[in-house]
Amino acid sequence: MDVNDLLIEAYGRLPELVESAVEGLSPEQLRQAPAAGANPVGWLVWHLTRIQDHGVADVLGEKQLWVGGDWAGRCGLTADPDDTGFGHGSEQIAAVRPEDGRVLVDYHRAVVDRTLAYLRGLRPADLDRVVDPNWDPPVTLGVRLISLLADDLQHAGQAAYVRGLIQRG
């Protein structure tokens, strides 16, 4: 298996994780935090998708899908390209109000489709390209792609856990 196939396999697993986390939850349940200060399923899925959209758009040098589509309005937000959820306090978390789980699944699918298309065109040498020289050592494309994937997987697992808490009431 080459590196492209490995990355495609890994990123390609995300939509199923996202869909299973939100499937059948009402808009209220998507916004329900399991405890004070905890993140709800809807916010977690929105955040992991925003991180991937932001990161992939950056390495592509293109506009984020969040900014160009109607995703923001359908989540109760404005299309701010810098709002990915990092540093959100309780009021900002509560402001993420997806109209339903489908909007989260559809936005995530659009982001993953773009990511997979990008990954299909990568060559192994591309992974060594520095995409952020502001770190020591500088961040390469390969490291960035793994960081995005790790963040997505962690948040998808958290969303599944919170879903379980909500369903057990």
Side-chain angles (χ1 to χ4, degrees), residues 34-98:
N39 297 322
V41 171
W43 185 90
L44 288 162
V45 170
W46 169 82
H47 171 64
L48 74 87
T49 307
R50 286 293 300 121
I51 293 300
Q52 188 178 149
D53 189 13
H54 185 275
V56 171
D58 183 56
V59 298
L60 284 169
E62 296 179 4
K63 192 171 166 180
Q64 296 171 33
L65 298 178
W66 178 256
V67 175
D70 66 343
W71 310 113
R74 295 179 63 200
C75 289
L77 300 167
T78 60
D80 179 351
D82 296 322
D83 186 9
T84 62
F86 277 125
H88 269 191
S90 58
E91 286 183 22
Q92 291 163 304
I93 291 168
V96 178
R97 302 178 62 79

Side-chain angles (χ1 to χ4, degrees), residues 1-123:
M1 178 178 279
D2 68 19
V3 70
N4 290 57
D5 293 338
L6 187 63
L7 288 168
I8 288 166
E9 175 67 25
Y11 275 92
R13 292 179 181 210
L14 291 168
E16 184 179 331
L17 297 174
V18 163
E19 189 154 352
S20 67
V22 303
E23 183 179 16
L25 294 182
S26 69
E28 294 76 25
Q29 289 172 314
L30 289 170
R31 297 188 296 262
Q32 180 182 340
N39 297 322
V41 171
W43 185 90
L44 288 162
V45 170
W46 169 82
H47 171 64
L48 74 87
T49 307
R50 286 293 300 121
I51 293 300
Q52 188 178 149
D53 189 13
H54 185 275
V56 171
D58 183 56
V59 298
L60 284 169
E62 296 179 4
K63 192 171 166 180
Q64 296 171 33
L65 298 178
W66 178 256
V67 175
D70 66 343
W71 310 113
R74 295 179 63 200
C75 289
L77 300 167
T78 60
D80 179 351
D82 296 322
D83 186 9
T84 62
F86 277 125
H88 269 191
S90 58
E91 286 183 22
Q92 291 163 304
I93 291 168
V96 178
R97 302 178 62 79
E99 62 189 29
D100 56 29
R102 189 84 249 152
V103 67
L104 295 170
V105 168
D106 290 349
Y107 173 46
H108 184 76
R109 173 47 76 185
V111 170
V112 168
D113 286 349
R114 180 187 208 182
T115 301
L116 294 175
Y118 175 63
L119 294 174
R120 285 184 193 101
L122 285 181
R123 297 173 319 218

Side-chain angles (χ1 to χ4, degrees), residues 25 29-30 32-34 40-41 161-169:
L25 294 182
Q29 289 172 314
L30 289 170
Q32 180 182 340
V41 171
Y161 179 76
V162 173
R163 174 193 174 86
L165 293 175
I166 290 168
Q167 289 182 316
R168 287 171 182 78

